[in-house]
Amino acid sequence: MAYRLGVQAALVDNELIAGDVSVQGGLIESIGLAPAGTGGIALPGFIDLQVNGFAGVDFIGAEPGDYVVAAEAMAATGVTGFVANFVSSNLEDYGRALAAAGAAATGLRPRLLGVHMEGPFLSPTWAGAHDRDNLRDPDAGLVDGWMEQGPVVMMTLAPELPGAIELIHHLRERGVGVSVGHTDADAATAHAAFDAGAASMTHVFNAHRRFSPRDPGPAAVALSRDDVAVMVILDGQHLAPDTEAMVLAAAGDRVVAVTDAMAAAGLGEGTHKLGGRQVEVMGGAVRLPDGTLAGSVLSLDRALRVLLDRGMPLEASAVAVAHRPARLLGLPGVLAPGMPADIAVVDDGYSVSRTIVLGKEVFAG
C-alpha cells in the first residue's frame, strides 16, 4: 500500500521540487504531490564509504549482531547505506571479519553495502594510525581469497608499491572500486593509478605525500582531474577550514564526504579501540597515544551541515553525502519515481528527522 511522507519538498536532479513524496513497495512512487506536507525536506539517503565502527562497535572485530547496533545508531544520522571499513590487520583476522560482514548484510537496515579494505597494501611512510607490522606489498591472491570470504567492494592502496598498478587492473576487473591513499606516490605515479582505474582519493591531505611546488603528489592530481572523486573528512580535526574551502572549490561535485568514524562515534569521550589499537577521544579528536589522528567521531548529518556552513548549496551538499558516494558503488543515489525509497528527511535546521530504507522507516526523531 502506498503512503505519503508528509514532506514539503524533495531534492530531485539537484533541484528542490515542492510537494509531497509517496512510497509503495520499497520504491518511490511519486514526487511533487499536492498538497505538500510540512514535515521537512526529503533528500537521497546518505551513504558512508568509510566507517570503521559506530556506537561502541568496531567492525574489524564485530559479530553479525553488532552490526545491528551500529546500523541503528547510524540511521539516526540519515545513513541509509554504509561500507564497513577494515583497517590493516593481521591476515588471520580478515577471514572472520569478512564472514561476519557477509552474514550481517542480509536484511540489515541501513544496508551494509560491503567492505572497504583500507589496507594492508599501504606505504609504511604514511601508515597514519595503521599498525606498520600489518602492512604488506600488493598480492592479488590474497585479494581473491578475501573476496571469496566476504563482500569486498572497495580497497585503498598505495600505487607506488610493487605490483600495485597491476592489482588496480585486477580489482577493477573483479568489480572492486579502488582508492589511492596512505601513499608516498609522486604525481606521475598517482596519474598512473587513476589511469589504471582508481576512481577516488582517500581522506585527502591526510596520510599521504605532501604537496610541494615541483612535487605536488597525489592530492594535487586528484583535485586537478575531473574523473576522480575526492573523499574528505569534515570533522574540524583532519583539515583546517581553509584547506576544506580549497578542496570544496577545486573538487566541486566530485567531493565525497566520509566520516572515517570509529567505535566511539555516538558515545562521547574516553578510551576506545580501533582495529585492536587503543585510542583516546578528547575535544572531538580521536588519537593514538603518540598523538596521531586515528579516525573520527563524525557523522554524515554533521558533515552535511559543515558543507552548508562552508557556503555549499543544499543541492551540492546532498551530492557529497549521497549521490557521489552512491555512484562510486554503482548505485543511483537519487530520488525519482521507480528508484529505491532510501530517504533522509531533514528539518529546517538540516538535522535528520526521519530515515527511510527501501520504503521502511528506520528512524523517527
Side-chain angles (χ1 to χ4, degrees):
M1 181 178 297
Y3 71 94
R4 286 195 179 198
L5 297 184
V7 295
Q8 58 187 311
L11 185 63
V12 180
D13 291 332
N14 293 330
E15 181 181 357
L16 274 179
I17 303 298
D20 205 354
V21 175
S22 65
V23 173
Q24 183 172 28
L27 303 177
I28 296 172
E29 181 187 53
S30 297
I31 294 175
L33 296 173
T38 58
I41 299 171
L43 304 178
F46 306 162
I47 295 178
D48 198 341
L49 297 181
Q50 188 178 16
V51 53
N52 305 286
F54 215 89
V57 176
D58 184 5
F59 290 138
I60 194 69
E63 298 297 333
D66 297 327
Y67 278 88
V68 176
V69 175
E72 288 178 349
M74 283 189 279
T77 69
V79 168
T80 60
F82 67 98
V83 179
N85 201 67
F86 289 0
V87 297
S88 301
S89 302
N90 294 321
L91 291 182
E92 55 267 26
D93 291 339
Y94 284 129
R96 185 212 55 76
L98 285 164
T106 303
L108 192 68
R109 302 290 184 268
R111 288 182 286 169
L112 173 59
L113 302 172
V115 170
H116 180 169
M117 304 286 289
E118 190 187 358
F121 310 136
L122 309 178
S123 167
T125 304
W126 299 102
H130 292 247
D131 189 337
R132 287 177 175 81
D133 291 340
N134 292 328
L135 303 185
R136 304 175 64 90
D137 284 341
D139 186 327
L142 280 177
V143 171
D144 289 342
W146 293 333
M147 292 187 69
E148 292 176 0
Q149 294 170 309
V152 178
V153 297
M154 290 190 67
M155 175 169 283
T156 289
L157 54 71
E160 74 278 10
L161 296 178
I165 299 298
E166 293 79 4
L167 182 58
I168 293 172
H169 287 291
H170 182 73
L171 289 165
R172 295 305 302 129
E173 289 171 357
R174 299 211 56 185
V176 177
V178 182
S179 194
V180 170
H182 289 275
T183 174
D184 198 38
D186 59 13
T189 305
H191 275 297
F194 295 127
D195 289 343
S200 59
M201 177 86 201
T202 296
H203 45 54
V204 68
F205 287 119
N206 282 273
H208 60 70
R209 189 183 188 106
R210 300 295 189 229
F211 177 95
S212 69
R214 286 165 296 282
D215 181 16
V221 172
L223 290 171
S224 64
R225 291 180 61 131
D226 61 10
D227 60 345
V228 177
V230 180
M231 298 185 192
V232 58
I233 306 171
L234 298 164
D235 65 344
Q237 304 292 335
H238 282 76
L239 299 176
D242 290 334
T243 310
E244 291 179 354
M246 179 181 67
V247 171
L248 301 184
D253 67 359
R254 295 181 292 115
V255 169
V256 173
V258 296
T259 65
D260 203 15
M262 44 78 68
L267 295 182
E269 298 190 344
T271 301
H272 300 273
K273 292 286 186 180
L274 173 62
R277 306 191 80 182
Q278 180 173 302
V279 296
E280 191 74 22
V281 179
M282 184 176 296
V286 184
R287 298 185 184 275
L288 295 174
D290 66 2
T292 301
L293 279 171
S296 83
V297 288
L298 181 66
S299 57
L300 277 186
D301 60 333
R302 196 173 118 216
L304 174 74
R305 292 191 291 274
V306 170
L307 290 167
L308 293 167
D309 288 344
R310 296 286 180 265
M312 185 175 281
L314 176 61
E315 296 82 355
S317 300
V319 168
V321 298
H323 179 58
R324 179 61 75 163
R327 284 183 58 188
L328 284 175
L329 296 176
L331 301 173
V334 296
L335 301 185
M339 289 290 104
D342 292 337
I343 303 166
V345 179
V346 297
D347 61 21
D348 292 343
Y350 302 105
S351 293
V352 174
S353 58
R354 298 171 69 193
T355 304
I356 294 99
V357 180
L358 295 178
K360 179 181 178 180
E361 186 173 82
V362 294
F363 170 75

